[in-house]
Amino acid sequence: MLVFVNSVKLLRVRIPGAREPRQTTSQALISFISKLGDTFMKSIRPHLFALVAGAALLAGCATPPPPNPAAEIPHCYKTNKGRTIACTSAPVPSLNADADAKRFAPDPSALTVFVVRRNWADGRNFVKVYSDGGPGVETLPNTMIRLKFKPGAHVIAFEFEGKRQSITVEGKAGDVRFVRIDGTVWSWKSSYEWAAEPEASIRERALKSRLVADVTVR
């Protein structure tokens, strides 16, 4: 409608010095429609401004704020469409800490071990990880834990449905090691085991996992 009204108004342009012809019926109709358009535009202009302002306000409200990279909040496992499936019960390290951990920098005074849980067949189950018999740490799919030990041999275990599976990791100060929990989840059964995979491959998986705990084992 706005395009039509503006087009009609263009027909009213007069050339300076030109002789004014006698107005025909069609010209009178065009003049009437143009005046009607002017009246219409004046009447809707306040509402149009309000409509544009309201749309801009709604667009601003619909855009979620960016996450705070320093915040420590629970981590949620989501589908590809963003639907939340499960969240950790405790806050996890911040996005800044996650990015720093993914540098995989060695600690000259400790053996660093990353426990990674990432593979395509995993599901929403919580799997707890224990280091040297300490308290359990919750993991979800596509998450990892960074453990720092004294040099030597250490036992890392995970528990699912009351059953534990353990692995021994040995190293010296400054070493960085990687181990992975391999999960397969079906509608009728879920199973987990320690993956037999080169550490270089697990490191690549760790880059795409979320740090959910940073633990120093005394």
Side-chain angles (χ1 to χ4, degrees):
M1 184 179 291
L2 294 177
V3 173
F4 171 73
V5 170
N6 285 328
S7 300
V8 171
K9 290 174 68 178
L10 290 175
L11 298 177
R12 298 170 57 194
V13 176
R14 297 176 181 176
I15 302 174
R19 186 176 179 180
E20 186 85 18
R22 186 176 180 180
Q23 194 177 50
T24 64
T25 303
S26 61
Q27 288 174 332
L29 179 60
I30 291 173
S31 178
F32 171 76
I33 294 175
S34 180
K35 291 179 181 179
L36 184 63
D38 288 340
T39 304
F40 173 73
M41 289 295 294
K42 290 179 182 178
S43 65
I44 71 166
R45 187 175 290 114
H47 305 288
L48 185 61
F49 289 156
L51 181 62
V52 172
L57 180 61
L58 289 175
C61 294
T63 304
N68 181 358
E72 295 186 353
I73 59 176
H75 169 71
C76 294
Y77 171 56
K78 300 180 180 181
T79 65
N80 293 333
K81 295 184 178 180
R83 182 174 66 87
T84 298
I85 296 178
C87 299
T88 61
S89 58
V92 305
S94 67
L95 291 172
N96 287 338
D98 175 72
D100 180 71
K102 288 174 182 173
R103 293 170 52 238
F104 306 127
D107 186 334
S109 62
L111 163 64
T112 304
V113 181
F114 286 88
V115 181
V116 182
R117 180 182 165 192
R118 182 182 177 86
N119 65 293
W120 70 270
D122 206 345
R124 62 177 297 166
N125 298 319
F126 287 94
V127 176
K128 285 193 173 184
V129 173
Y130 302 83
S131 52
D132 284 345
V137 178
E138 289 179 338
T139 68
L140 283 169
N142 303 333
T143 63
M144 66 178 179
I145 301 170
R146 180 168 65 176
L147 302 170
K148 290 191 175 184
F149 297 101
K150 293 180 180 179
H154 300 274
V155 176
I156 302 173
F158 70 82
E159 182 177 270
F160 178 69
E161 293 184 342
K163 298 180 180 180
R164 286 199 185 195
Q165 296 187 45
S166 302
I167 189 173
T168 300
V169 179
E170 187 173 357
K172 60 183 185 298
D175 286 349
V176 179
R177 302 288 307 277
F178 296 86
V179 295
R180 183 170 73 87
I181 300 173
D182 188 6
T184 303
V185 175
W186 305 99
S187 58
W188 63 90
K189 182 182 179 181
S190 299
S191 62
Y192 293 88
E193 61 183 6
W194 290 107
E197 184 178 15
E199 290 193 41
S201 298
I202 302 176
R203 185 183 188 276
E204 293 302 312
R205 294 178 188 266
L207 286 171
K208 301 175 183 178
S209 303
R210 179 65 165 90
L211 182 72
V212 291
D214 202 353
V215 181
T216 299
V217 182
R218 302 296 181 185

